[in-house]
Amino acid sequence: MEPFKRIGVTGRQGRSHIEKTLQRLTDFLQQRGIEVLLDESIAYLLPGHPYKMCARADMGSCCDLVIVVGGDGSLLGAARDMVPHGVPLLGVNLGRLGFLTDILPDELEPQLEEVLQGKHRLVHRFLLDACVIRDGKTIGKADALNDVVLHPGQSTRIIEFELYIDNQFVYRQRSDGLIIATPTGSTAYALSGGGPIMHPKLDAIVLVPMYPHMLTNRPLVVDGNSEMQLVVHPDNTIHPVVSCDGQVEINLQPGDIISIRKKPEPLKLLHPVNHDFYEGCRSKLRWHPHEITVDED
């Protein structure tokens, strides 16, 4: 990749604890002659700063790289803004788990120095497109890096819906809903729902039922290019919700159809050269940290 000349810096609004890391980051970039473009929504955290500002949604059209200071939730929102422009993202983890934002504040300067020198790994993650159709017309669209979730919203009543994959009927289900997750999202909500952990390189999608009425309804892994349709049964007495990454919601009515497929444009994500998916699982999911050595004698 070409050297980064202009870098956008963003983070989660309303999180004042990112101020110290944000100051270190922008100072570091400025000292290396890189033009910093600051997200206007967090500019108040650096009073008197000398940087140009813009809305996060506009960074993709003018930056070579965007750095997100915060947790995975912060990166999810930035990802949906950057994907149309093909601008890579790099995450500085101030959250809890941080499967996507893997640079720790204590290692900020040395790891960022390596990234600026071209010592990094570029990976691609696919997103899901969700489209809601009502009476033959599209009434809402959104995309998701982690998951598209059908759920009851404010209600505690179950939903009845039908699932079709590539125009083939799969089942009619009565449950609290369904999580449709990418490999990236398999370590998020889908994991809490009992779904499998999927390696990020897999071209696959996992469907995880939420408290299904029939215990035989189990997580289902399908090809990443599958096209899925959820049909909200007309006899439902509640108005469920479809949620994308837990950040964008579309209210549904009985009879609505949710169409879900892979988004054509992938997310470009930068990792430090020492990034290790399995080490991340060990540390963040508290797996046993040590290898077992076998004495061959």
Side-chain angles (χ1 to χ4, degrees):
M1 297 178 63
E2 294 292 326
F4 304 116
K5 298 178 181 178
R6 176 185 284 179
I7 295 179
V9 176
T10 184
R12 185 166 179 179
Q13 300 180 35
R15 292 295 179 93
S16 58
H17 72 279
I18 74 171
E19 180 179 348
K20 184 180 295 184
T21 302
L22 198 62
Q23 186 69 66
R24 285 171 54 200
L25 170 62
T26 52
D27 287 349
F28 181 86
L29 295 175
Q30 187 183 47
Q31 290 166 7
R32 277 147 186 79
I34 295 172
E35 183 179 355
V36 175
L37 195 60
L38 189 62
D39 183 345
E40 62 187 16
S41 69
I42 61 169
Y44 69 94
L45 295 172
L46 298 178
H49 69 83
Y51 311 115
K52 295 180 181 178
M53 296 182 296
C54 76
R56 186 182 69 188
D58 297 328
M59 286 184 174
S61 61
C62 54
C63 291
D64 308 311
L65 171 69
V66 172
I67 299 177
V68 181
V69 181
D72 283 352
S74 303
L75 193 138
L76 291 174
R80 295 194 300 273
D81 284 335
M82 299 308 136
V83 161
H85 305 282
V87 176
L89 284 178
L90 177 68
V92 177
N93 183 25
L94 292 182
R96 290 186 292 272
L97 285 179
F99 274 98
L100 297 172
T101 50
D102 50 9
I103 291 183
L104 297 176
D106 292 344
E107 303 170 353
L108 176 64
E109 287 84 2
Q111 292 212 352
L112 191 53
E113 182 67 47
E114 288 194 350
V115 169
L116 296 180
Q117 292 176 1
K119 300 175 183 178
H120 53 70
R121 296 173 59 187
L122 174 65
V123 299
H124 294 82
R125 304 285 183 94
F126 73 83
L127 287 78
L128 297 174
D129 266 334
C131 176
V132 177
I133 302 167
R134 180 177 300 159
D135 298 326
K137 297 180 180 179
T138 299
I139 61 103
K141 289 183 177 182
D143 47 20
L145 177 59
N146 267 355
D147 46 46
V148 177
V149 181
L150 172 67
H151 62 91
Q154 301 275 336
S155 175
T156 57
R157 305 179 74 174
I158 64 174
I159 309 168
E160 186 169 354
F161 61 91
E162 294 180 352
L163 169 66
Y164 295 82
I165 299 177
D166 294 331
N167 295 318
Q168 292 184 314
F169 176 71
V170 180
Y171 52 58
R172 178 181 290 184
Q173 186 178 118
R174 300 177 76 240
S175 67
D176 280 4
L178 187 69
I179 303 168
I180 300 178
T182 65
T184 301
S186 70
T187 52
Y189 196 12
L191 180 63
S192 300
I197 294 175
M198 302 168 67
H199 193 280
K201 289 183 179 180
L202 286 175
D203 188 5
I205 297 169
V206 63
L207 296 86
V208 182
M210 299 166 61
Y211 296 102
H213 194 258
M214 296 294 292
L215 296 180
T216 51
N217 285 123
R218 310 303 299 164
L220 177 64
V221 179
V222 300
D223 182 82
N225 294 304
S226 301
E227 296 184 14
M228 292 144 289
Q229 285 189 329
L230 300 176
V231 181
V232 182
H233 198 276
D235 291 341
N236 279 286
T237 58
I238 66 170
H239 290 67
V241 174
V242 64
S243 173
C244 293
D245 285 342
Q247 298 178 347
V248 181
E249 294 190 340
I250 303 172
N251 295 317
L252 305 174
Q253 293 182 7
D256 284 354
I257 300 172
I258 307 105
S259 180
I260 302 161
R261 67 185 67 185
K262 180 193 293 184
K263 191 176 183 68
E265 306 89 355
L267 168 68
K268 294 180 180 179
L269 190 63
L270 291 191
H271 289 299
V273 289
N274 62 350
H275 173 75
D276 181 343
F277 173 73
Y278 299 112
E279 191 282 328
C281 289
R282 287 194 300 273
S283 62
K284 301 174 195 307
L285 301 179
R286 299 185 180 182
W287 292 353
H288 198 288
H290 303 297
E291 295 182 44
I292 298 176
T293 57
V294 178
D295 188 351
E296 297 182 355
D297 296 333

